[in-house]
Amino acid sequence: VDAGFSPAGLLQITPELGWQIDDDYAVSLQLRQQIIPESGSGDDVSGTPAHGALAVFARGYRFFGDGNAQLFLSGTVGGGEGFRLVIPPHPDQGVLRNDTVRGGPIVLGPGAGFLYQFGSHFAWMLEARLLAGVPDLAAVAEVATGAQASF
């Protein structure tokens, strides 16, 4: 596959369990399950493309500001299967079904985001991050949103 841009799919499930060290710092473990549906058909090449990738990340956070709305920076390092970029079908080039290219198995990268706390036990976050995989060199930019519950 030639170098270039490729999607990483539309769905990643990323449950995370963390510990708030103090008002400014937190650490967590995150599971990242990437799901890639198969598309195209009629390929006479044996085997099937990967349908996802599973990785475990250690993450660190630095929060800025007081009150319910805070900005944050994050750092991610981990591994497993890494992540996959999708090569869509190109029948005119002889690629009859999608394929994938792996980045990893070691993954690391920075992130930045916004957290809004609705109360002492519930928050909503929005984060953009860049993940780089090595030694199979690839990078993916992703945007995630989700709810946080604390206890």
Side-chain angles (χ1 to χ4, degrees), residues 64-120:
F64 300 93
D66 294 325
N68 291 356
Q70 294 181 300
L71 297 176
F72 65 86
L73 296 176
S74 66
T76 301
V77 63
E81 293 178 89
F83 58 85
R84 295 204 167 263
L85 302 176
V86 179
I87 311 296
H90 290 286
D92 56 322
Q93 297 175 7
V95 179
L96 301 178
R97 66 176 172 195
N98 71 307
D99 202 352
T100 62
V101 175
R102 182 177 79 163
I106 299 168
V107 178
L108 52 107
F114 173 77
L115 178 75
Y116 187 83
Q117 297 177 15
F118 291 100
S120 60

Side-chain angles (χ1 to χ4, degrees), residues 32-146:
R32 183 179 188 273
Q33 175 65 56
Q34 181 180 12
I35 300 169
I36 302 171
E38 190 169 335
S39 62
S41 64
D43 195 351
D44 59 358
V45 176
S46 63
T48 60
H51 293 100
L54 179 65
V56 177
F57 300 144
R59 305 195 68 210
Y61 294 89
R62 170 64 166 101
F63 296 94
F64 300 93
D66 294 325
N68 291 356
Q70 294 181 300
L71 297 176
F72 65 86
L73 296 176
S74 66
T76 301
V77 63
E81 293 178 89
F83 58 85
R84 295 204 167 263
L85 302 176
V86 179
I87 311 296
H90 290 286
D92 56 322
Q93 297 175 7
V95 179
L96 301 178
R97 66 176 172 195
N98 71 307
D99 202 352
T100 62
V101 175
R102 182 177 79 163
I106 299 168
V107 178
L108 52 107
F114 173 77
L115 178 75
Y116 187 83
Q117 297 177 15
F118 291 100
S120 60
H121 298 290
F122 184 74
W124 168 78
M125 60 78 65
L126 176 66
E127 181 182 20
R129 69 180 175 181
L130 177 66
L131 298 176
V134 293
D136 294 339
L137 186 59
V140 64
E142 60 186 21
V143 175
T145 189

Side-chain angles (χ1 to χ4, degrees), residues 1-22:
V1 175
D2 292 333
F5 293 98
S6 186
L10 292 177
L11 182 62
Q12 290 86 38
I13 299 170
T14 56
E16 189 168 5
L17 184 61
W19 178 49
Q20 187 80 35
I21 298 169
D22 60 25

